[in-house]
Amino acid sequence: MKTIKFFIISALLLTAIGCNGQNKESKKAISSDNIEVYYFHFTARCVTCNTIESELNNNIESLYAGLKKDNKISFHSINLDQESGEKLAQRLKVSGQTVLIVKGDKRILLTNEAFLYARSNPKKFKSILKEKIDSLIS
């Protein structure tokens, strides 16, 4: 009986500790006024994957040079095969190739649009990206 009580108390303590760590991480993300654009990918990439990264980087540079200079917006290419990439992916709840825009507690997924248009219709992709980021600026 004492053993069962010990395991129950231990499980509750571990759960409480784990939840507190997650809450601190969530609060940190929610308080941010900066816009972060993430492209999560693996080491092995195809032409489309490389094009997505290039288009994201170029579009953010051309559309938001002033905000980028002031560190109000940034682009991050994250390799999921690296330990640091895995940790960030877990924090942002990303499990595979993803294009994600984050501002505080707001998250906008652009993965489908990126794979559909980055290579075949880059102007449309740029337009969609601008629309989504502008909605976070205003």
Side-chain angles (χ1 to χ4, degrees), residues 31-119:
S31 66
S32 176
D33 287 334
N34 297 335
I35 297 171
E36 307 286 338
V37 180
Y38 296 100
Y39 173 47
F40 290 91
H41 60 83
F42 295 102
T43 303
R45 296 193 282 171
C46 65
V47 174
T48 302
C49 295
N50 288 322
T51 302
I52 290 170
E53 180 177 355
S54 175
E55 288 295 316
L56 284 168
N57 192 36
N58 292 339
N59 290 335
I60 290 168
E61 187 66 45
S62 68
L63 293 169
Y64 304 103
L67 290 174
K68 192 171 180 189
K69 183 180 177 186
D70 295 338
N71 294 318
K72 300 282 184 188
I73 188 169
S74 58
F75 170 67
H76 308 278
S77 178
I78 309 297
N79 188 335
L80 292 166
D81 289 327
Q82 296 176 348
E83 187 177 337
S84 60
E86 286 179 21
K87 288 180 182 179
L88 182 59
Q90 287 175 352
R91 191 181 107 215
L92 293 173
K93 298 179 177 110
V94 170
S95 60
Q97 289 178 291
T98 304
V99 176
L100 180 65
I101 303 170
V102 178
K103 180 180 182 185
D105 61 349
K106 296 178 184 172
R107 297 166 42 101
I108 299 173
L109 281 172
L110 280 182
T111 309
N112 290 339
E113 292 86 348
F115 278 92
L116 282 171
Y117 303 118
R119 190 161 175 232

